Amino acid sequence: MSTVLVANRGEIACRILRACNEAGYASIAIYAENDANSLFLELATRSIKLEGESIADTYLNQQQILKIAKEYGADAIHPGFGFLSERADFAQAVIESGLIWIGPSPRAIKRMGDKMTARTTMKAAGVPVIPGEEIEQEDENEALIAIKDASRRVGFPLLLKASSGGGGKGMRVVNSPDELEDAVSGARREAIAAFGDGRVYVERLLTGSKHVEIQILADKHGRVIHLGERECSVQRRHQKVFEEAPCPTMTPELRERMGKAAILAAQAVDYEGAGTVEFLLASNGEFFFLEMNTRIQVEHPVTEMVTGVDIVREQLRIAEGEPMSCGELNMRGHSIEVRLYAEDAANNFLPAIGPLVVFKPPVGPGVRLDTGVREGDEVTPNYDPMLAKLVVWAPTRKEALQRMRRALDEFVVLGTTTNIRFLRELCDQEDVVNGTTDTTLIERVWPNGWSPEIPDSLAEAALMIAGISEGSGKHRKSNSSTDSADNGPISPFSTISRRFP
Amino acid sequence: MQYEFRIDGETVEVTLAKNGDLWTLSENNASILPDGRIRLESKEGTTFFAHSAKVKDTWWIHIGGHTFCIDHVEPGAAEDDEGSGLSAPMPGKVLQVLVEVGQKVEPGQPLMILEAMKMEHRIIASQEGTVSAINFSEGDQVQQGSALLELSL
């Protein structure tokens, strides 16, 4: 293996390209036209433009990506997460073209990617699954009848999940029978749009439980290990926002049991590479298999911080056929990650767009930033609104939280609405401080939505700053292209405000 | 010096005194640093280092871990009409139109479903009224701020 093509973009492409640079591999980045100035291209040995406009024509275009890989001499493909990372047919095509696929076998991806098949596989392997029922009917009306039937046995509240789902898409909470029909059609529609597969199944909604996942590594020499757990209970719209390792309520005995179950899950599909087995952990210590992610995960850095293992580097090593380099599991200190989204947390977490006129991440001891953007970039509606992952490490959980508060206070983003202040206030919530987080935390703490608590004196100071900025004329002006649709292109030199008659 | 700003829908008048390089408001003192940031010493004795940047008519201010969006009101600018139109919160595609022209709607009733960034967003009636216009149909692309529907109250 000498040249790795990274079939992804943004933050995770940066992460992988940096690992390639460190390991001495040449790298190829591929990009769509609207990414022509993106940060990840700067980290690759060379960058090749994808033809086409839509995501389907570019980052999801298997043929085109394989053609580029061959033409430019790549001998391995790293898919990152999202896009083609969990597409068994792509993994198969990569292998059939004589290239190395940096990930598990197509068969493992397929068995775990279809959530219903994964449930069945896990049940057979003796791993506990959430009470629920698979729905095999593909026809919308037949499926609805089967779901109604199943819902009576599973009980309410329940969760509808797309069999091909992920990232909260095609997922609906149903509290009562009269909501069921609407929820099924909504979930199916979203699932068809996102995955081209409308099958949804039914699980009991286990409220008050923790989302705990085990990081797995498996090499081609038969060694399968786990790197301990991450807790990712704090979610909004089924998307994680706050992740930590270790889980604050974990015991060595429970870690061993969950670790064993995760290894069993990996072995059931002859897993190779890095993967994550997700569980729901009930307050009584019972845990249930949720799903297995057959790829690198967004929140992998917290595990890296506490174990000292470079997971992406291990992926490269394993793909090359070498034994993994990690020894005994040795967790040290505490790590927390928060996801910075371009979104309006005060307005139902609606995604936001705009220019990153100022983007100043925090620095200092124990702070790591994984991002795909930099100052001057534009946040567009074309891709996921995640801007960065802010990760801290400290000797204890208490100090890690203190460090996260400090880092968030230092983080300056102007021009685009972000969730920074929401994350900052999250760090002060009693359950977060005590480590008693569960998946309902955000709805429980802010049942009517979140809005920032702003001291009056600070609002007054902000108005004063606005006045000085306006009065001095000493301000920066965005030369953004997307927000100027109604008044034509803005010259970076025209810093004088518009005047109205 | 006097400026008019709008913050959270409220119009505020700010009067600053300037003495050499020092700006004053109530007992807050501030000065501009060479890198463009503003150093502010509050009347409580706390020192802040604030960032500011202007995008169109909006000042983005970061101070003390908080970010503010403050609109500058140009002298003589007309106030926005208090419209009853429902606009697209972000660019996206219309997935479903759930109402018809002439239909009476209740507060909280979903009117339209948009898809943006692969997620569905419901456009919901904030008050009681009758749908007087629907400006887009299923499959249409909409820009941020596009008036999707109009209600007569």
Side-chain angles (χ1 to χ4, degrees):
Chain A
M1 198 162 104
S2 66
T3 306
V4 177
L5 183 146
V6 178
N8 215 299
R9 61 173 302 283
E11 173 271 318
I12 193 61
C14 292
R15 170 74 185 91
I16 298 161
L17 289 163
R18 286 192 166 115
C20 291
N21 291 341
E22 289 167 6
Y25 295 114
S27 56
I28 299 172
I30 52 169
Y31 66 99
E33 172 82 56
N34 53 24
D35 264 327
N37 296 313
S38 291
L39 177 63
F40 69 99
L41 306 186
E42 296 178 14
L43 301 170
T45 314
R46 65 190 306 176
S47 305
I48 309 298
K49 192 177 136 186
L50 292 157
E51 299 301 326
E53 299 217 327
S54 67
I55 293 178
D57 286 344
T58 54
Y59 294 108
L60 291 176
N61 188 335
Q62 305 191 13
Q63 242 94 58
Q64 194 182 175
I65 294 169
L66 283 172
K67 192 164 154 265
I68 291 172
K70 294 219 133 168
E71 203 173 320
Y72 295 92
D75 42 26
I77 293 186
H78 195 311
F81 51 63
F83 294 125
L84 294 169
S85 61
E86 289 175 289
R87 291 285 297 271
D89 53 343
F90 184 58
Q92 187 67 45
V94 169
I95 295 164
E96 278 168 13
S97 337
L99 304 174
I100 297 172
W101 166 252
I102 304 177
S105 68
R107 183 177 158 272
I109 299 175
K110 209 170 190 167
R111 301 271 303 268
M112 288 301 181
D114 188 78
K115 310 289 181 237
M116 288 201 267
T117 313
R119 272 178 63 93
T120 328
T121 310
M122 288 305 103
K123 277 193 270 187
V127 178
V129 301
I130 299 173
E133 284 183 34
E134 293 84 37
I135 305 291
E136 303 294 348
Q137 288 80 355
E138 300 214 2
D139 175 80
E140 174 146 17
N141 289 324
E142 286 175 27
L144 182 62
I145 294 166
I147 290 169
K148 277 186 176 165
D149 222 34
S151 74
R152 262 173 242 129
R153 290 185 291 270
V154 173
F156 291 89
L158 58 79
L159 200 55
L160 292 172
K161 279 184 176 176
S163 193
S164 302
K169 285 158 201 159
M171 198 187 277
R172 289 286 188 283
V173 174
V174 190
N175 290 307
S176 63
D178 56 306
E179 294 172 12
L180 191 62
E181 210 164 309
D182 270 358
V184 170
S185 74
R188 281 185 62 99
R189 199 169 44 232
E190 215 169 88
I192 289 170
F195 319 109
D197 172 9
R199 290 176 306 136
V200 294
Y201 64 101
V202 185
E203 269 181 4
R204 186 181 301 160
L205 182 68
L206 298 175
T207 50
S209 39
K210 282 178 177 289
H211 177 115
V212 175
E213 57 190 32
I214 305 280
Q215 175 70 50
I216 287 290
L217 277 181
D219 64 19
K220 297 182 183 181
H221 300 265
R223 186 159 172 238
V224 186
I225 63 163
H226 73 85
L227 294 177
E229 78 287 356
R230 297 183 282 262
E231 177 177 347
C232 322
S233 299
V234 185
Q235 307 184 359
R236 53 118 191 79
R237 295 179 165 199
H238 304 291
Q239 279 189 320
K240 300 162 186 168
V241 288
F242 180 103
E243 298 119 332
E244 61 186 311
C247 162
T249 57
M250 186 55 67
T251 62
E253 181 271 329
L254 182 59
R255 178 176 298 130
E256 197 177 317
R257 280 201 291 135
M258 292 184 78
K260 271 193 181 147
I263 288 174
L264 216 56
Q267 284 169 334
V269 293
D270 300 317
Y271 201 81
E272 260 173 31
T276 298
V277 185
E278 300 189 335
F279 296 100
L280 272 186
L281 175 61
S283 47
N284 63 3
E286 253 191 302
F287 60 89
F288 306 95
F289 171 82
L290 260 183
E291 60 181 59
M292 179 164 188
N293 292 309
T294 52
R295 52 168 167 82
I296 188 77
Q297 229 163 339
V298 178
E299 60 272 24
H300 75 275
V302 292
T303 299
E304 296 187 323
M305 301 298 267
V306 295
T307 60
V309 175
D310 181 337
I311 298 173
V312 177
R313 189 73 184 264
E314 291 298 336
Q315 283 188 300
L316 298 174
R317 197 169 274 131
I318 291 167
E320 219 164 1
E322 289 174 27
M324 65 179 100
S325 76
C326 4
E328 285 290 295
L329 176 65
N330 181 14
M331 293 172 90
R332 189 172 151 269
H334 200 94
S335 180
I336 300 174
E337 171 184 287
V338 293
R339 298 191 192 184
L340 244 82
Y341 286 104
E343 66 181 15
D344 189 355
N347 187 9
N348 201 21
F349 302 100
L350 208 62
I353 54 169
L356 297 171
V357 185
V358 175
F359 185 81
K360 295 224 178 305
V363 289
V367 175
R368 163 177 171 179
L369 189 86
D370 283 23
T371 183
V373 300
R374 31 122 145 100
E375 198 164 282
D377 282 359
E378 193 77 36
V379 182
T380 68
N382 300 325
Y383 302 105
D384 188 272
M386 190 175 83
L387 296 179
K389 309 184 301 204
L390 176 61
V391 186
V392 298
W393 180 91
T396 64
R397 185 172 190 275
K398 188 178 170 198
E399 290 160 294
L401 255 182
Q402 290 171 334
R403 183 161 279 168
M404 182 56 86
R405 290 191 194 104
R406 183 271 290 175
L408 285 166
D409 279 339
E410 281 182 25
F411 211 136
V412 184
V413 180
L414 299 182
T416 300
T417 306
T418 73
N419 63 342
I420 291 178
R421 193 63 211 170
F422 170 76
L423 296 169
R424 175 63 187 79
E425 287 189 17
L426 187 64
C427 291
D428 288 337
Q429 290 313 310
E430 203 184 327
D431 281 329
V432 173
V433 172
N434 296 335
T436 49
T437 41
D438 66 39
T439 52
T440 60
L441 181 116
I442 290 179
E443 297 121 71
R444 225 169 358 92
V445 176
W446 294 287
N448 302 313
W450 173 84
S451 55
E453 287 168 26
I454 303 165
D456 282 348
S457 61
L458 205 60
E460 190 183 310
L463 279 163
M464 182 179 179
I465 301 294
I468 298 169
S469 302
E470 189 65 46
S472 65
K474 190 167 182 163
H475 57 254
R476 295 201 236 179
K477 185 110 187 176
S478 150
N479 53 4
S480 144
S481 53
T482 57
D483 70 345
S484 56
D486 56 351
N487 51 0
I490 297 178
S491 153
F493 302 105
S494 66
T495 51
I496 304 195
S497 305
R498 285 183 294 153
R499 302 233 183 265
F500 295 90
Chain B
M1 276 178 245
Q2 205 176 66
Y3 304 96
E4 211 173 286
F5 293 106
R6 201 172 295 130
I7 179 166
D8 290 331
E10 189 191 344
T11 306
V12 189
E13 213 169 70
V14 177
T15 308
L16 296 172
K18 191 174 182 237
N19 191 351
D21 290 335
L22 196 71
W23 301 72
T24 312
L25 172 77
S26 341
E27 283 152 65
N28 297 328
N29 294 310
S31 53
I32 301 172
L33 298 171
D35 65 1
R37 289 178 304 153
I38 294 167
R39 181 181 189 278
L40 185 147
E41 212 158 306
S42 77
K43 53 189 162 219
E44 293 84 14
T46 318
T47 307
F48 294 103
F49 291 84
H51 290 78
S52 63
K54 198 176 192 185
V55 180
K56 292 209 231 170
D57 292 329
T58 302
W59 279 104
W60 291 73
I61 312 278
H62 182 272
I63 182 167
H66 285 258
T67 307
F68 297 87
C69 282
I70 301 175
D71 296 330
H72 179 229
V73 182
E74 295 278 350
E79 288 276 322
D80 283 346
D81 285 342
E82 215 29 60
S84 52
L86 289 149
S87 57
M90 58 175 314
K93 191 174 88 176
V94 178
L95 275 188
Q96 248 190 322
V97 180
L98 304 167
V99 290
E100 291 169 1
V101 174
Q103 188 175 333
K104 282 200 179 350
V105 294
E106 303 283 313
Q109 183 174 341
L111 307 173
M112 208 181 249
I113 300 178
L114 292 190
E115 185 197 63
M117 292 182 176
K118 302 261 173 261
M119 300 286 286
E120 291 190 3
H121 300 283
R122 284 161 176 245
I123 304 299
I124 285 169
S126 57
Q127 41 202 324
E128 192 182 296
T130 308
V131 179
S132 53
I134 297 173
N135 302 330
F136 294 92
S137 45
E138 285 178 26
D140 286 353
Q141 293 288 337
V142 297
Q143 295 302 314
Q144 184 168 14
S146 305
L148 299 172
L149 315 96
E150 275 154 46
L151 291 187
S152 46
L153 308 178

